[in-house]
């Protein structure tokens, strides 16, 4: 595309294309932002980036040519936006294959070095979070944006190629039965009015008939239950969308708004679910290693040494599969002195997960069949009546990256488990209906997209792998 | 995939694959839900659907074979879930190429005809909205789900193939400057507490330092301004995600929660923006006509006669481009007696848009350069100081389907326009920064995904083209 461009001007190429092209007979056009400028006696060197690539296009401007007035030279700065025409020729330098010999230059927008918040020096990630509207112009955040896009595309490609439908499950939900404490409420009531006087007040509290949805409503924490509806008709579906958690934890690992991926698969038991999760993870990693190679080399060099090799190992490995009970035994007999003691019935801590993947099995591990008390009501109960068909996929360096389960498809068992979990059948009538009419064995898993990006890039703070992070007291931009 | 399936069982195929296969030498496996059953003297005919296709697989079960007990025959009903093994053979019937001669049958889940809410008879869409957890099992809603998925994939493919990055712009925003009245507020304050007593009250109203984000926060109405940030670094980006509007209009055309697509393109003027929007729309329509042919034939037959031909005409047409001023002239001199009179300065009404596309130009029309008073502050001001570089793409039958503009890239003009629109520079500091540092001519457009699906399928009510509609007093499931 860009047909209009090419009809009205000479052929414009993105930087990514230009830097890997052979020298051209006809002049070419490049548009982007200046990253560096070096002014020598007879020529000006500058580099242009347009976000398509980690690498810049080197441009050489001969001062004799009078293309460049002194005023324009002053305006040609880090951050200014330009259109450059010229011949793409072989570069004598060893850092690039080709360079552009500029024959015409347009400066669209200035970036005054005195006031431009992005200086040449390296800025801290903390500082860049305060100027999140400019940070995509840095190498790191450009690379994060491209890798995030490559991974997003890989998510869709994996599921689409395997016959899954993307289902847009709702963001606003009136079901607060699960994890109510950690949900954001959504309302059109006038809060100031509520605080002041009469408003929508009633003796018992709020009169929700005056709220938009006629009842308390919240931001979703998961699309799973809705996805199960579609899996019960379309067989294979997945969600990929924003989810919300009102956790007040101000850590480098939590966001209030994050993107989740949740496939749900009919006629699928836990074994097949493990196959799918393993194939999914390997597909994402293999795709990003192949398609975002330059960016991954940057992360390997600057952010997390050896990360490419680590991810390659995961792609090539067979994931170990072990029951929770066996995992606990292995941890107990390891003789390791853990901060949190290991005992059957307690959830695995991060240190245990790391020990399993890094020390015992030296690779990814899928732990299955957890005690029912520490897992959700919808996981399928095993015949021992003590454990459920849940699974966690653990990887070295990170710990848990995927959680999933075979779902309870038996109406009577599910009803019982609802009750044991303090939930009511009334709130779950439609979820129970799926077991009442044409119920099938089915399974699914879920993962937080930002945690996956952290794992792939090595970025330490989750706020740096999403364009505009939302967290406690943080909703800028 | 489904490797585990194929290792442990015989080869399973989706219905979509089976119905177009040649007869096979080895037995095959099919899993799905029974759609119809016909019980004759020696054989039982039933059809299985697994959501992969509009069409069902016909299965024939020989009663002699003793595969089928009387009890199983009773359980084999519309809605029950089954696994069927057998030979795929040529069908003598003229409605299908092949049929499955069943040699083994498993019934996973019953659907008691006495209580199953989905009977064979056709249900009204109103009724089906009340059982939105079961409606994907109908022909219509199965087709909508598949077409929606095909269109979603086409959206991503179009942008990815043209070098755009998918950017996840935030859902929660603390900027309520635009359209505040129609936004949902997001809060973790205890509303009951507010209504009752002290709580977070202050003399001036709410103490927002006690709310999660430390200030009033809302659900986004558009990702455009955030997308402009990324376009100012990565050149070509798009959003595709949920947006929200707290409009209390209970119509067949409005949702409180809907998905929007918003590309944003640097170094792009309005002409190129029109090229992009036209190419985008044609790509979506051409893809769905090709890849969801069976489903589109269903919509053509049952929902909107002639829709395939209509969409094909749009794909083949050149969109007419006309200025708002010229469009108004044409409407004025048409002599048509409109309900709303046409006059320069007033927005075009639906009847005017339809007249332009259906009567005057007989095809899609892009209207440009609207009076600044009826368009947003960020649209680029023309030299006449009266009009702005906005555009609306109109199509026959629907009217406006896409809205867009070239954005104001000049800092001084944008500041002035902000002031004229009653907005403050303080709220838009980062948006102005994009014009302060490396500003470029740029453009973008936006469209509501559900309206596009309505247009493509002919479905009359927007609540029937999204899995779980959210609207005034409506947030079930």
């Amino acid at each position: 595309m860009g047909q209009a461009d090419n009809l009205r001007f000479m052929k414009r190429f993105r930087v990514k294309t230009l830097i890997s092209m052979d020298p051209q007979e006809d002049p070419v056009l490049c548009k982007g932002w200046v990253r560096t400028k070096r002014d020598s006696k007879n020529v000006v060197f500058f580099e242009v980036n347009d976000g398509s690539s980690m690498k810049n296009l080197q441009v050489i401007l001969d001062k004799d040519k009078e293309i460049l007035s002194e005023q324009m030279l002053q305006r040609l700065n880090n951050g200014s936006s330009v259109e450059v025409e010229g011949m793409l020729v072989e570069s004598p330098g060893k850092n690039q294959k080709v360079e552009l010999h500029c024959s015409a230059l347009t400066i669209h927008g200035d970036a005054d070095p005195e006031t431009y918040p992005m200086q040449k020096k390296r800025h801290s990630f903390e500082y860049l979070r305060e100027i999140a509207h400019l940070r995509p112009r840095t190498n790191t955040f450009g690379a994060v944006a491209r890798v995030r896009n490559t991974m997003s595309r890989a998510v869709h490609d994996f599921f689409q190629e395997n016959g899954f439908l993307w289902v847009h499950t709702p963001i606003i939900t009136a079901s607060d039965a699960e994890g109510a404490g950690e949900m954001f409420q959504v309302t059109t009531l006038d809060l100031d009015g509520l605080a002041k006087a009469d408003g929508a007040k009633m003796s018992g509290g709020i009169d929700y008939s005056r709220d938009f949805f006629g009842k308390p409503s919240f931001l979703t924490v998961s699309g799973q239950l809705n996805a199960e509806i579609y899996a019960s008709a379309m067989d294979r579906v997945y969600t990929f969308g924003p989810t919300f958690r009102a956790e007040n934890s101000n850590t480098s690992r939590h966001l209030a708004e994050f993107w989740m991926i949740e496939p749900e698969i009919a006629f699928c038991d836990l074994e097949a679910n493990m196959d799918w999760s393993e194939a999914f993870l390997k597909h994402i990693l293999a795709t990003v290693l192949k398609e975002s190679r330059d960016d991954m080399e940057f992360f390997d060099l600057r952010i997390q040494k050896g990360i490419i090799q680590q991810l390659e190992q995961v792609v090539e490995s067979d994931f170990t599969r072990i029951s929770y009970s066996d995992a606990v035994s292995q941890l107990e007999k390891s003789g390791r002195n853990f901060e949190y003691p290991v005992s059957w019935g307690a959830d695995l801590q991060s240190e245990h997960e790391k020990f399993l993947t890094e020390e015992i099995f030296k690779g990814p591990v899928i732990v299955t069949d957890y005690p029912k008390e520490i897992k959700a009501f919808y996981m399928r109960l095993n015949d021992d009546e003590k454990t459920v068909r849940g699974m966690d996929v653990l990887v070295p360096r990170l710990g848990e990256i995927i959680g999933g389960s075979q779902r309870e498809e038996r109406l009577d068992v599910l009803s019982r488990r609802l009750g044991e979990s303090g939930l009511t059948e009334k709130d779950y009538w439609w979820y129970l209906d799926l077991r009442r009419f044409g119920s099938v064995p089915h399974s699914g898993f879920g993962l937080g997209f930002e945690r996956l990006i952290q794992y792939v890039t090595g970025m330490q703070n989750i706020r740096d792998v999403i364009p505009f992070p939302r967290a406690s007291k943080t909703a800028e931009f």
Side-chain angles (χ1 to χ4, degrees), chain A:
Chain A
M1 260 298 296
Q3 286 170 331
D5 267 3
N6 294 333
L7 291 175
R8 287 174 295 140
F9 309 113
M10 73 188 60
K11 200 150 171 64
R12 182 219 171 170
F13 297 98
R14 303 293 299 275
V15 167
K16 183 184 180 179
T17 307
L18 286 170
I19 56 174
S20 56
M21 273 171 114
D22 290 323
Q24 298 288 298
E25 304 234 327
D26 295 316
V28 296
L29 180 62
C30 175
K31 305 179 184 188
W33 291 265
V34 173
R35 280 290 175 87
T36 64
K37 180 181 78 166
R38 190 158 52 82
D39 188 8
S40 73
K41 199 179 164 206
N42 299 319
V43 290
V44 179
F45 298 90
F46 61 97
E47 292 189 347
V48 178
N49 189 288
D50 67 359
S52 61
S53 159
M54 168 61 65
K55 291 177 180 144
N56 306 321
L57 177 70
Q58 170 146 301
V59 181
I60 293 167
L61 217 168
D62 193 334
K63 283 184 176 174
D64 287 347
K65 281 191 182 155
E66 295 187 359
I67 305 161
L68 192 73
S69 65
E70 185 56 36
Q71 191 222 354
M72 278 178 81
L73 180 60
Q74 293 305 318
R75 293 179 60 203
L76 194 67
N77 289 306
N78 170 34
S80 55
S81 54
V82 293
E83 288 193 30
V84 189
E85 283 178 35
M87 298 302 296
L88 194 70
V89 302
E90 199 177 329
S91 172
K94 63 179 192 299
N95 291 326
Q96 60 275 325
K97 179 180 170 187
V98 287
E99 58 192 25
L100 192 71
H101 282 202
C102 178
S103 55
L105 172 69
T106 308
I107 299 180
H108 280 296
D110 296 280
D112 180 354
E114 298 293 314
T115 56
Y116 190 42
M118 310 270 292
Q119 301 303 322
K120 257 189 193 166
K121 73 178 177 84
R122 267 172 98 171
H123 297 292
S124 73
F125 290 153
E126 288 74 18
Y127 171 72
L128 291 171
R129 256 169 249 148
E130 290 167 20
I131 50 168
H133 62 308
L134 300 175
R135 68 178 185 173
R137 303 177 186 194
T138 63
N139 282 337
T140 304
F141 289 92
V144 167
R146 283 185 299 273
V147 163
R148 190 179 170 108
N149 178 71
T150 300
M151 290 171 65
S152 297
R153 192 176 61 227
V155 168
H156 282 304
D157 286 349
F158 177 81
F159 289 121
Q160 294 288 332
E161 283 161 18
N162 284 296
F164 287 68
L165 298 189
W166 187 20
V167 174
H168 297 116
T169 49
I171 307 300
I172 297 172
T173 172
S175 146
D176 67 339
E178 265 193 286
E182 296 187 345
M183 291 176 97
F184 289 102
Q185 189 161 0
V186 173
T187 184
T188 53
L189 292 173
D190 171 18
L191 300 199
D192 277 315
L194 279 188
K196 272 184 206 141
D198 56 339
K201 257 184 258 188
M202 283 182 85
S203 58
I206 306 286
D207 174 11
Y208 276 108
S209 74
R210 296 170 69 169
D211 204 355
F212 191 88
F213 294 108
K215 56 176 89 167
S217 54
F218 304 89
L219 294 180
T220 186
V221 297
S222 159
Q224 178 197 318
L225 304 195
N226 293 91
E228 284 187 55
I229 287 174
Y230 270 75
S232 301
M234 318 302 289
D235 194 320
R236 295 178 188 175
V237 301
Y238 67 108
T239 74
F240 185 8
T243 51
F244 303 84
R245 210 68 51 94
E247 272 182 287
N248 241 320
S249 41
N250 226 324
T251 77
S252 63
R253 304 196 318 135
H254 292 90
L255 289 169
E257 173 181 325
F258 56 99
W259 283 62
M260 284 253 287
I261 300 156
E262 297 179 286
E264 193 69 34
I265 314 155
F267 304 103
C268 178
D269 60 15
L270 193 68
E271 290 298 319
N273 201 32
M274 287 191 273
D275 293 347
W276 282 111
S277 64
E278 183 172 339
F280 169 78
L281 191 56
K282 288 176 175 176
H283 175 83
I284 304 298
L285 301 186
T287 304
V288 78
L289 286 169
K290 181 165 168 249
E291 296 184 11
S292 292
R293 196 73 195 184
D294 285 351
D295 293 318
M296 286 307 300
E297 281 169 5
F298 171 85
F299 289 117
D300 197 297
L301 191 68
R302 296 292 178 85
I303 304 293
Q304 175 92 30
K305 297 258 182 277
I307 197 167
I308 289 181
Q309 200 194 348
Q310 268 183 41
L311 299 180
E312 282 171 348
Q313 280 169 358
V314 172
V315 172
E316 283 150 24
S317 68
D318 285 320
F319 292 14
T320 302
R321 299 178 182 192
I322 183 174
S323 73
Y324 166 88
S325 298
D326 287 346
V328 167
S329 297
Q330 294 255 14
L331 289 167
E332 281 174 339
K333 73 184 183 199
S334 73
R336 177 74 154 235
N337 209 349
F338 293 109
E339 191 187 343
Y340 294 89
V342 181
S343 75
W344 201 100
D347 211 351
L348 296 180
Q349 298 296 319
S350 183
E351 57 176 337
H352 309 141
E353 295 175 344
K354 286 193 179 178
F355 193 80
L356 284 169
T357 56
E358 293 171 10
E359 306 288 331
I360 301 185
F361 296 109
K362 302 193 190 312
V365 178
I366 310 182
V367 180
T368 64
D369 300 290
Y370 285 79
K372 67 177 177 183
E373 286 78 12
I374 58 172
K375 290 290 182 187
F377 73 92
Y378 50 69
M379 296 192 184
R380 193 179 198 278
L381 190 64
N382 282 317
D383 292 344
D384 64 12
E385 296 263 330
K386 285 180 191 155
T387 58
V388 289
R389 296 243 75 190
M391 67 171 202
D392 282 351
V393 181
L394 317 178
V395 289
R397 183 161 56 84
L398 188 77
E400 186 200 327
I401 194 162
I402 292 176
S405 69
Q406 183 167 344
R407 319 306 190 189
E408 184 54 75
E409 89 280 13
R410 296 163 296 184
L411 181 62
D412 55 337
V413 184
L414 185 62
S415 296
R416 179 152 56 87
R417 295 276 293 135
L418 265 177
E420 287 170 6
S421 309
L423 305 171
T424 66
E425 297 205 10
K426 187 172 147 285
D427 287 333
Y428 288 87
W429 68 273
W430 53 265
Y431 193 67
L432 291 164
D433 261 8
L434 302 180
R435 280 70 182 171
R436 202 169 271 128
F437 305 115
S439 185
V440 290
H442 64 289
S443 300
F445 57 89
L447 67 159
F449 189 47
E450 283 75 19
R451 287 205 81 198
L452 184 62
I453 303 173
Q454 278 191 285
Y455 175 64
V456 165
T457 59
M459 294 293 288
Q460 285 298 305
N461 195 313
I462 200 165
R463 299 180 191 203
D464 295 333
V465 297
I466 190 166
F468 305 99
R470 267 62 179 126
S472 175
K473 306 291 179 261
T474 303
E476 296 302 320
F477 306 101

